[in-house]
Every structure is written in C-alpha cells, then in structure tokens.
Amino acid sequence: MATLWLLMALVLLCFVLLPVLRRGAAGRGPAGLPDPARAAAYGFVPEEELDVRVPGPDKDLLDVLDVVRRTGDYRAAAEMLAGTEAEGEARWQRVQAFAGAAALELAERPGGVHETPGGQWLRVWRAERPKDAGGAAVHAEFLVQQAWRTSAPGTDDFRIIMEEARQACGEAALLAPGDPVPYIVELSAARGLGCPRPEFEKLWLDVVERAPHHMGAHLAALHYWCEKWHGSREEAYAFAENAAARAPEGSLLAALPLFAVFEHLPEVNLVRSFYQSEVVTRAIQGALHAVHTARPDDPVLAHVRHLLLFFLVRAERWPEAMDQLAHVDGHVGALPWTLSADPAAAFAAHRALAVAGYEAAGGSPAGLPG
C-alpha cells in the first residue's frame, strides 16, 4: 500500500502539481513546491495536530474515547452506545471507533496481537455484561478489524479470526434483533471469507430490511461487488448507481458512485484529464449534490467530503476543494487518507495542493468559499 501511495504521489506531482506551479508563484515553498505553511493563513490545523481517529468533529465520541483510554473503564462507551439510535449511522460509526480504539491499544502492547477479545476494557465489558448488545457489536467489529490488520486474506489465521467474527456477529444480532450493525459488520467478514453470492445477497437483505438507506451498510456491501473482490467494475457501478437513484432527498447515497469510482482507480494514471472525464465528473456532481442537501449533522457527511476533496484536487477544481477543506480540516480518519501509512501526511499534501492551486488562480484567505 505504501508503494501505491508513492506512485500516486508521483503521478500527482507530474499531472496536477506542475501545471499549478506554472500558473503562478503564490503558495510556493522551497524548490517551488507548495508550502504547507500556507495552510495556517486559512486557519487550517497543523499537520502534527490532525486527528486520525475520526473523519469529522464528534466531540461527544472523542470525549468518551479519551475517558476510556485514560481510565480503562468501558462504562462510558457502553452508555454512549445504549443511548445511540440503532438504525442510524452514528451507532455504526461509534461501534467502529470503539473497536478501533481497542485494536490500537492491543497493538501497542508487547505481544498484544495474540490476545483477544481486545483492550483490557473490552474484555472486561464482555465479561461483566455478556448480554450488552453494544459490547457484543464492538467485539464483533474488533475481530473483523483484527483480521484485516494482522493477517493476509486467504491465510489460515485470517480465516480463523473472520469465522470467529461471524459467530460474534450472530451473537450480537440475537441480543438486538432490530439493530442492523451486527449484519453490517458481517458484510465485511463475508467479503473476506469469499461467501458465495446467494449467501451474501441474503445477508444484504437482512441489512436493508432493518435500514434500507444506511450509507455505511452500502459502503460495506460495495466492496464485495468491486473488481478486486468478488464482482466487477460494472457490477460495482450498477450497485452504486441503483442505490443513488433510489435514495430519498437528503440522503448521502447519492455520493455512492464516487466511492465506486475510487475503488476502481488505476494504480497509475498517466492521463491528466482522467479526473475531468465524464464518469468522474458525473460522480463528483452527485456527491456535491449529496453534501449540499444532507443534514449538517449527518454522521457520514465528513466521509463524503474527504473523498470529494481527493477528487476535486485532482480535477483542479480549487474553490470547491477549499470548500470541503473548510468543513473537514482537523480530522482525517476517512478514505482515502486511512489507506496511507501516514494519514495526516497524505491529507496535508492534498491540502497544500488545494491551497497552492486556489492561490495560483487568484484566491486568498479573505475569499475562502463556504
């Protein structure tokens, strides 16, 4: 993955950065490169202070994560999930965040990757409250994350952990029959295990019966239909476009085609106009419509804005890229940055390009859109 990001950076340098530098000197640093320090003029957060845990501001969640990490007490997390609507996007994202925190703490301990079910507080949570649906869902998601983090798909270790995760999903589903989260977690496990299509489609029906317009669920299912997993580019595009067409007004599902395009980007793109092509432009416009009509507090909104930033920079649509930055700067726990070994650096590099392009086109901090 690091090699892929290096190749993408080189292509970005050749086909986006150099034309920007030719158009103007504003925002240049040493050797004519974009100056990361220019971000400070717009009030953007320094790279070393970017938060990689979440995609956007969620003070309540961050406060609870801090409490759990500082005290090792799971109860704040349990209370938060107990008070979070089961069918909504927020519960799914908070389950992911707590599972990720447990996985990170486990990885930081010597020999910790061999322990299960996670950080000490997660083990205590499961032991003291075995019938807690929130704790069961976090445990299932933790196992899925552990499989992806510590094992290669197709290996015995990967399969063993994923099978355990599927069993944990079933247990979590029994504790909260109407909650789509255990089924959404299982979508990822089913993909990793290469479940046959009929079995995956049945699981998908279990999800949509409970939350037909759940963006997180659609993102999880999209991976299965991608070319690199068990489908094709055509099937992934069809899945995304059908979901967007059925989406109610204000739903971020209208942005799903942009995620399908991202999942099928060529590893090396030597055509500068690719990001201005009809397919990419149409997907960008759908995502822009989605963010403009979505509720400001939609938990998935930041995810869409981060991916939009990625595409808008490459399409050289500088004012629109700056608009997305104004909304999400400070938090980088989202695609595509999380695919990098250093998400903060990947985000900061794109931010510097956006600022340089914006200023080369005559923009200034006083005229920042949004």
Side-chain angles (χ1 to χ4, degrees):
M1 188 59 68
T3 302
L4 174 59
W5 272 92
L6 177 59
L7 290 171
M8 292 174 69
L10 291 173
V11 173
L12 187 63
L13 174 66
C14 294
F15 293 95
V16 178
L17 174 57
L18 293 182
V20 168
L21 297 180
R22 283 198 296 268
R23 285 197 291 270
R28 290 189 187 181
L33 296 176
D35 183 2
R38 286 297 304 156
Y42 294 82
F44 294 147
V45 175
E47 180 181 335
E48 62 273 14
E49 296 178 16
L50 292 170
D51 194 324
V52 301
R53 296 174 295 175
V54 292
D58 187 339
K59 186 177 184 303
D60 291 342
L61 174 58
L62 291 172
D63 287 346
V64 171
L65 285 171
D66 289 339
V67 167
V68 171
R69 185 173 181 85
R70 186 177 67 254
T71 66
D73 190 332
Y74 69 86
R75 286 175 294 182
E79 290 169 7
M80 168 168 272
L81 285 182
T84 304
E85 180 188 8
E87 294 79 12
E89 305 280 356
R91 183 177 178 84
W92 162 232
Q93 294 207 56
R94 288 172 175 177
V95 165
Q96 285 187 303
F98 292 134
L104 180 60
E105 291 176 28
L106 190 61
E108 290 174 347
R109 293 203 304 274
V113 294
H114 302 295
E115 300 177 32
T116 181
Q120 178 66 26
W121 55 268
L122 180 53
R123 292 202 302 276
V124 174
W125 188 355
R126 296 297 295 132
E128 293 187 351
R129 300 187 186 180
K131 301 301 183 182
D132 186 328
V138 172
H139 177 205
E141 172 64 19
F142 164 81
L143 290 169
V144 168
Q145 291 191 22
Q146 278 295 91
W148 292 116
R149 286 171 186 256
T150 64
S151 309
T155 63
D156 288 343
D157 285 348
F158 181 86
R159 178 166 291 277
I160 289 170
I161 299 173
M162 280 299 191
E163 292 288 3
E164 186 180 353
R166 291 200 79 180
Q167 181 179 348
C169 288
E171 294 170 359
L174 289 174
L175 292 172
D179 186 355
V181 171
Y183 298 93
I184 299 172
V185 175
E186 191 174 355
L187 289 173
S188 183
R191 168 170 58 96
L193 291 169
C195 287
R197 291 190 178 197
E199 185 177 340
F200 188 86
E201 288 169 347
K202 181 179 183 302
L203 175 60
W204 178 241
L205 287 176
D206 288 334
V207 174
V208 297
E209 284 175 3
R210 292 162 174 81
H213 306 299
H214 197 290
M215 181 67 170
H218 281 79
L219 289 172
L222 175 64
H223 288 289
Y224 183 92
W225 298 113
C226 287
E227 188 173 63
K228 58 189 173 184
W229 285 104
H230 309 295
S232 65
R233 180 190 302 265
E234 293 73 24
E235 287 174 307
Y237 280 17
F239 176 81
E241 289 166 2
N242 287 339
R246 297 193 306 269
E249 186 67 16
S251 168
L252 285 167
L253 285 174
L256 197 62
L258 189 64
F259 287 85
V261 171
F262 176 76
E263 292 297 332
H264 293 87
L265 288 177
E267 289 195 7
V268 178
N269 170 46
L270 299 179
V271 181
R272 183 181 159 206
S273 61
F274 171 80
Y275 290 96
Q276 298 163 348
S277 65
E278 180 181 353
V279 170
V280 176
T281 298
R282 186 169 64 248
I284 289 175
Q285 291 307 118
L288 285 170
H289 172 76
V291 300
H292 290 152
T293 58
R295 299 190 331 269
D297 62 345
D298 191 309
V300 188
L301 184 56
H303 286 277
V304 178
R305 290 192 183 279
H306 279 288
L307 197 63
L308 266 172
L309 171 62
F310 173 88
F311 277 96
L312 291 168
V313 166
R314 283 165 163 69
E316 301 182 41
R317 295 169 62 165
W318 311 119
E320 291 164 300
M322 294 295 285
D323 185 27
Q324 303 312 314
L325 274 172
H327 286 90
V328 300
D329 186 74
H331 303 85
V332 297
L335 286 174
W337 326 121
T338 50
L339 296 178
S340 169
D342 189 342
F347 174 85
H350 282 71
R351 184 176 65 183
L353 281 171
V355 170
Y358 179 64
E359 293 189 339
S364 68
L368 182 63

